[in-house]
Amino acid sequence: TTAIQLSKAFGATVYTTAGTSEKCEFCENLGADVSINYREQDFSEEIKRLTEGKGVNVILDMVGGPYFPKNIRLLADEGRLVQIALMQGSKAEVDFRSLLLKSVTLTGSTLRPRSVEEKTKIKPIPQDPISPLGKKLFEIKYVEFEKPNYQLRKNYTYQRAIKTIVI
């Protein structure tokens, strides 16, 4: 959600994917130009159509695994793939020629294994870039609840939900 808002604040065209109409609508309400329901449409074909075959400059991916080769194909020349999670696995078959020919930049990062001290050193994003959205943030609540994280299989963790009220 932050990526959508920041991207729009900096003038980007934002395409998102989600698995339900409700989630797609939510993304569009946050500022996404187009949100594609991947259960109803082939997002690869739709992105190719929307970009007239040029591809996108940046992909922020949480899926990993089978999406990795698709993401590389969808990147424009000198595009960047930022991998922040691996919900469908950490392994993929990759044709490195496409990475080289497109001059792709790959970045991987996650905050989960970092200590609280490391996380607190990360500088907060200034509010100024968000102001063009014309919304004011009135309340942020961190709600912790116990729920199994099925992506981690047997490793039951506390998940943190961030509830924001925006007007």
Side-chain angles (χ1 to χ4, degrees):
T1 57
T2 302
I4 294 169
Q5 293 177 61
L6 282 172
S7 298
K8 287 308 293 181
F10 287 104
T13 300
V14 177
Y15 304 117
T16 62
T17 61
T20 68
S21 298
E22 293 79 17
K23 289 179 183 178
C24 286
E25 183 179 341
F26 177 79
C27 290
E28 289 174 0
N29 287 336
L30 284 174
D33 294 281
V34 177
S35 190
I36 302 161
N37 185 331
Y38 60 80
R39 290 192 174 118
E40 296 175 1
Q41 291 180 279
D42 179 343
F43 75 86
S44 296
E45 291 303 317
E46 190 62 12
I47 293 295
K48 285 180 194 173
R49 184 187 70 76
L50 290 166
T51 63
E52 299 175 351
K54 295 174 188 163
V56 294
N57 296 315
V58 178
I59 296 175
L60 178 67
D61 183 51
M62 299 176 66
V63 179
Y67 278 43
F68 192 85
K70 291 179 188 181
N71 288 338
I72 299 302
R73 284 192 298 274
L74 289 175
L75 283 170
D77 288 345
E78 298 185 6
R80 291 166 290 179
L81 173 58
V82 181
Q83 196 71 50
I84 60 169
L86 301 165
M87 292 172 22
Q88 287 191 15
S90 61
K91 297 181 181 177
E93 188 170 320
V94 180
D95 178 359
F96 284 97
R97 269 183 313 216
S98 58
L99 295 173
L100 298 174
L101 292 173
K102 288 185 171 189
S103 297
V104 168
T105 300
L106 299 176
T107 303
S109 183
T110 184
L111 293 176
R112 186 176 297 265
R114 295 186 184 190
S115 70
V116 173
E117 292 164 11
E118 285 180 287
K119 292 175 186 178
T120 57
K121 289 180 184 175
I122 297 171
K123 294 184 179 181
I125 298 167
Q127 291 299 311
D128 292 345
I130 305 299
S131 61
L133 296 176
K135 298 179 181 183
K136 294 182 180 178
L137 190 62
F138 283 103
E139 181 179 355
I140 297 178
K141 291 183 180 176
Y142 293 94
V143 181
E144 290 193 12
F145 55 97
E146 189 172 357
K147 179 181 176 185
N149 183 333
Y150 294 104
Q151 279 74 35
L152 298 176
R153 304 285 190 277
K154 296 176 184 175
N155 181 13
Y156 293 94
T157 63
Y158 282 95
Q159 293 184 352
R160 178 174 283 184
I162 302 172
K163 179 180 179 182
T164 59
I165 299 172
V166 241
I167 294 181

